[in-house]
Amino acid sequence: MSPSTPMLGPVGSYVKHHFRHFNAAALVDAAEGYRVYLEQGGKMMVTLAGAMSTAELGLSFAEMIRQDKVHLIVCTGANLEEDIFNLVAHDFYERVPHYRDLTPQDEADLLGRHMNRVTDTCIPEMEAMRRMEKAMLDVWTKADQAGERYFPHEFFQQVLKSGVLKPSYQVDPKHSWMLAALEKNVPIVVPGWEDSTLGNMYAAAVIRGEVKNVHTVRTGIEYMTWLAKHYQEVTKTSTLGMFQIGGGIAGDFPICVVPMLHQDLELTEVPLWGYFCQISDSTTSYGSYSGAVPNEKITWGKLGVDTPKFIVESDATIVAPLIFAYLLGW
């Protein structure tokens, strides 16, 4: 079946007309590849590294989820929690446009005000992190006392479902990708969740004795075993593609499920990833995973010779919303 003509809105039409060469052309190729892949029956996993939630990617990513263009999400613990931080404390955030000019004393002054800086944006500790900590402590301790265990994202979803944070919402809920994923029942995997603000708070709760069983929050290895089963189930009827925003564990963890199934479990009939795109400003260097070109993944049994492969070497906070706008008909 030949691909249909894309239905483009003003943003997509601008991109299609003006983005003709170099990284601009790679952006269009990746977006078209994504569109055609879904049209032909493929399913898509999107991975989030960096601070994409603090960059408010939810403005476009949430709609991608609602329009069934995302079927699995893998993200860092930071992106998981920062979508909710933004949801409940947006009005208390502060931008620091001239962050490059800050002195060490300027940074110390921000610390004194409990404003944690992410490049040009400061997250307010009391309004965002401590508010979320209280809600999470409630569900952690309740599960711990009942002898129950859940994945990190499931605890977040329990809090969202409870409605306890609703009075604190400061952005339109339709701009929260976590709420969209909950609404559409899109699975979430969070490798290395321990490396996050709430992960640190959980460790502190264990040390204080408020949580007795450290494994009340399920582990990364359990995420991988879940992902292995999920991948096999999905690929019975379609292939699964990978749209990787940034690098690091958010991308490396899930892509490895295929060579694990092939090489460690000897399930050689499981298909390779059906599409691959990475947006990254990391350059290829000695041992860099984030900067590794897609072809390197062939040697690891992750991608095939004929897998559609794209790499856009640019700022993901610019590229990802443009690709999503293209796909959404904006």
Side-chain angles (χ1 to χ4, degrees), residues 207-282:
I207 293 168
R208 290 193 302 264
E210 293 171 277
V211 175
K212 307 298 183 186
N213 179 9
V214 68
H215 295 303
T216 293
V217 175
R218 297 179 66 183
T219 67
I221 295 299
E222 290 174 279
Y223 263 132
M224 180 57 85
T225 59
W226 178 91
L227 181 58
K229 293 176 183 176
H230 181 75
Y231 190 92
Q232 291 175 82
E233 190 62 33
V234 169
T235 55
K236 286 178 181 177
T237 56
S238 66
T239 59
L240 188 60
M242 177 170 178
F243 187 83
Q244 180 178 336
I245 301 176
I249 195 171
D252 197 25
F253 182 90
I255 201 173
C256 288
V257 73
V258 171
M260 188 270 284
L261 289 167
H262 286 176
Q263 299 167 22
D264 301 318
L265 292 173
E266 300 182 351
L267 301 174
T268 54
E269 74 283 1
V270 176
L272 296 171
W273 293 95
Y275 163 102
F276 178 81
C277 174
Q278 180 178 5
I279 305 168
S280 174
D281 59 2
S282 177

Side-chain angles (χ1 to χ4, degrees), residues 111-131:
L111 171 64
R113 294 172 50 222
H114 303 281
M115 299 298 289
N116 303 121
R117 186 169 70 82
V118 181
T119 311
D120 73 341
T121 303
C122 292
I123 302 175
E125 178 186 332
M126 304 311 294
E127 291 81 6
M129 299 166 184
R130 297 303 170 187
R131 180 174 293 162

Side-chain angles (χ1 to χ4, degrees), residues 130-267:
R130 297 303 170 187
R131 180 174 293 162
M132 194 65 196
E133 180 185 31
K134 182 179 184 302
M136 293 297 284
L137 272 172
D138 288 343
V139 292
W140 289 335
T141 54
K142 181 180 177 181
D144 188 60
Q145 291 163 9
E148 298 170 350
R149 302 178 63 237
Y150 299 98
F151 282 122
H153 75 277
E154 292 176 318
F155 279 114
F156 279 81
Q157 290 175 334
Q158 288 174 22
V159 170
L160 291 175
K161 286 178 182 177
S162 74
V164 68
L165 295 178
K166 275 189 176 180
S168 301
Y169 287 2
Q170 295 185 351
V171 298
D172 191 326
K174 74 178 184 180
H175 295 151
S176 164
W177 68 260
M178 281 284 289
L179 284 173
L182 181 60
E183 173 192 336
K184 298 293 292 187
N185 198 30
V186 174
I188 301 175
V189 171
V190 192
W193 171 76
E194 299 84 356
D195 180 25
S196 67
T197 298
L198 268 295
N200 293 160
M201 291 174 174
Y202 180 75
V206 172
I207 293 168
R208 290 193 302 264
E210 293 171 277
V211 175
K212 307 298 183 186
N213 179 9
V214 68
H215 295 303
T216 293
V217 175
R218 297 179 66 183
T219 67
I221 295 299
E222 290 174 279
Y223 263 132
M224 180 57 85
T225 59
W226 178 91
L227 181 58
K229 293 176 183 176
H230 181 75
Y231 190 92
Q232 291 175 82
E233 190 62 33
V234 169
T235 55
K236 286 178 181 177
T237 56
S238 66
T239 59
L240 188 60
M242 177 170 178
F243 187 83
Q244 180 178 336
I245 301 176
I249 195 171
D252 197 25
F253 182 90
I255 201 173
C256 288
V257 73
V258 171
M260 188 270 284
L261 289 167
H262 286 176
Q263 299 167 22
D264 301 318
L265 292 173
E266 300 182 351
L267 301 174

Side-chain angles (χ1 to χ4, degrees), residues 23-77:
N23 270 312
L27 183 157
V28 176
D29 292 342
E32 263 298 284
Y34 194 136
R35 184 188 70 82
V36 170
Y37 181 71
L38 293 185
E39 188 176 275
Q40 294 177 342
K43 303 294 184 183
M44 190 66 77
M45 173 183 75
V46 174
T47 73
L48 304 178
M52 295 305 298
S53 289
T54 290
E56 297 191 68
L57 187 66
L59 290 164
S60 55
F61 188 46
E63 188 62 20
M64 286 285 289
I65 294 167
R66 283 191 292 269
Q67 291 196 20
D68 298 315
K69 300 182 188 300
V70 179
H71 307 96
L72 173 63
I73 299 165
V74 181
C75 70
T76 57

